[in-house]
């Protein structure tokens, strides 16, 4: 089993790992403070592109941890950097929230109704008109990029249809699938993390509760992967899965430094 002793940066998923909705998991805030006091870097990595980094900063402050803005990483930020780096001078039609559009704006991406690229995010402001418009652009042959692949986002009321579910709806409509999906478990998100935090992958651990995003993210991108059993994944699900984490812990409170 791999050790966490030589890890410099711990990347944390949020829901199911650090918190459940607006409630921190037992001992989670003490653990984050213990890691920080022990000289470890801590960042929060979320695939949720419906909210901005500032929304997440506020949320983490409300949970009780005194994070700084540099510690927040969203798939929206990684998508915006990807476009500015690999699709310079291209405009975008954003099927996403105003927060995602603002994130694009921060990286200088021009947003237009007839944009060159259709960006699909977790659009909690989705309307039929917007969806139809995106489908028309895709049918005309625009490039298709999605912020992350998750099918559902957990909420206290039940699962919300997330970007992966909207992706499936678009594929049923016109057969189009994204050429790039940015968020966990994919490489563009990892590239963003390593740049943003100035670290090498062998010094990074990804800690999360979901096998097909968090753990695969660690494994695909040469980080140490740590599964916690406080969220989505049960021992039965872990045993049945081909995705095997480097380390399995009951909760983040069991991280040793
Ligand atoms: Mg989670």
């Amino acid at each position: 089993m791999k050790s966490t002793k030589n890890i410099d940066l711990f990347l944390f998923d949020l829901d199911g790992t650090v918190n459940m909705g607006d409630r921190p998991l037992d001992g989670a805030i003490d653990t984050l403070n213990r890691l920080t006091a022990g000289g470890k870097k801590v960042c929060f990595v979320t695939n949720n592109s419906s909210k901005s980094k500032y929304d997440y900063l506020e949320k983490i402050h409300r949970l009780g941890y005194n994070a700084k803005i540099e510690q927040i990483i969203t798939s929206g930020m990684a998508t915006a950097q990807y476009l500015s780096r690999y699709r310079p001078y291209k405009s975008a039609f954003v099927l996403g929230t105003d927060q995602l559009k603002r994130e694009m704006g921060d990286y200088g991406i021009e947003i237009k109704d007839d944009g060159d690229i259709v960006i699909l995010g977790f659009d909690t402001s989705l309307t039929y008109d917007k969806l139809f418009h995106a489908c028309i652009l895709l049918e005309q042959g625009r490039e298709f990029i999605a912020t992350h692949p998750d099918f559902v986002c957990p909420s206290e009321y039940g699962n919300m249809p997330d970007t992966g579910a909207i992706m499936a709806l678009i594929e049923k409509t016109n057969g189009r699938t994204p050429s790039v999906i940015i968020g966990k478990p994919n490489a563009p998100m990892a590239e963003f993390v390593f740049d943003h935090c100035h670290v090498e992958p062998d010094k990074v651990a990804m800690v999360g509760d979901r096998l097909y995003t968090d753990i695969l993210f660690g494994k695909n991108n040469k980080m140490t992967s740590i599964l916690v059993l406080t969220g989505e994944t049960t021992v039965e699900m872990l045993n049945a899965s081909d995705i095997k984490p480097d380390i399995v812990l009951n909760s983040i409170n069991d991280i040793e430094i």
Side-chain angles (χ1 to χ4, degrees):
M1 191 151 131
K2 273 198 185 177
S3 158
T4 50
K5 304 251 187 228
N6 63 346
I7 296 297
D8 289 339
L9 168 65
F10 287 89
L11 302 173
F12 286 96
D13 167 58
L14 284 164
D15 261 300
T17 301
V18 170
N19 61 292
M20 267 304 173
D22 287 330
R23 193 175 53 82
L25 295 177
D26 281 348
I29 302 304
D30 288 343
T31 294
L32 297 174
N33 286 328
R34 172 170 64 85
L35 296 177
T36 312
K40 301 297 180 183
K41 278 197 203 169
V42 166
C43 280
F44 302 92
V45 181
T46 177
N47 267 358
N48 188 341
S49 60
S50 72
K51 299 202 167 79
S52 73
K53 52 184 172 286
Y54 302 105
D55 296 327
Y56 270 101
L57 185 68
E58 255 182 62
K59 182 183 176 105
I60 291 164
H61 285 171
R62 275 201 311 275
L63 291 171
Y65 177 71
N66 190 22
K68 299 190 176 67
I69 194 72
E70 308 82 69
Q71 290 174 273
I72 316 291
I73 295 167
T74 71
S75 68
M77 295 160 68
T79 302
Q81 176 182 280
Y82 185 91
L83 290 180
S84 70
R85 184 173 286 180
Y86 297 110
R87 302 289 188 276
Y89 316 115
K90 298 278 190 192
S91 59
F93 172 75
V94 177
L95 195 59
T97 58
D98 288 343
Q99 288 95 320
L100 180 60
K101 289 177 193 163
R102 231 172 286 137
E103 208 73 75
M104 297 288 155
D106 284 353
Y107 281 80
I109 314 297
E110 188 188 0
I111 294 170
K112 287 163 68 174
D113 272 348
D114 64 346
D116 303 313
I117 303 173
V118 173
I119 301 297
L120 171 63
F122 178 20
D123 192 359
T124 52
S125 62
L126 187 67
T127 64
Y128 193 86
D129 282 352
K130 277 207 281 181
L131 184 61
F132 185 28
H133 184 71
C135 287
I136 293 168
L137 294 178
L138 290 170
E139 222 168 282
Q140 291 171 351
R142 302 295 204 287
E143 188 179 7
F144 185 14
I145 293 180
T147 57
H148 62 290
D150 302 49
F151 292 110
V152 295
C153 175
S155 89
E156 55 185 312
Y157 307 108
N159 282 333
M160 302 166 75
D162 201 334
T163 305
I166 305 172
M167 226 184 276
L169 188 155
I170 291 172
E171 188 179 358
K172 288 285 182 191
T173 306
N174 56 27
R176 293 293 308 274
T177 54
S179 55
V180 185
I181 302 175
I182 302 289
K184 295 179 283 186
N186 298 319
M189 186 77 159
E191 183 181 320
F192 182 83
V193 168
F194 302 146
D195 279 5
H196 185 80
C197 303
H198 312 289
V199 285
E200 296 297 322
D202 60 333
K203 295 286 182 189
V204 183
M206 176 68 218
V207 188
D209 70 311
R210 190 173 269 185
L211 289 166
Y212 73 90
T213 53
D214 302 319
I215 299 310
L216 204 55
F217 183 56
K219 296 191 82 68
N220 284 352
N221 299 288
K222 300 190 170 72
M223 296 174 255
T224 299
S225 55
I226 304 178
L227 177 75
V228 289
L229 299 173
T230 42
E232 179 177 282
T233 306
T234 61
V235 173
E236 292 72 34
M237 286 163 73
L238 172 62
N239 289 339
S241 174
D242 293 336
I243 304 168
K244 300 293 182 203
D246 295 313
I247 297 170
V248 181
L249 301 175
N250 284 324
S251 77
I252 68 169
N253 305 333
D254 293 339
I255 295 174
E256 288 176 14
I257 57 168

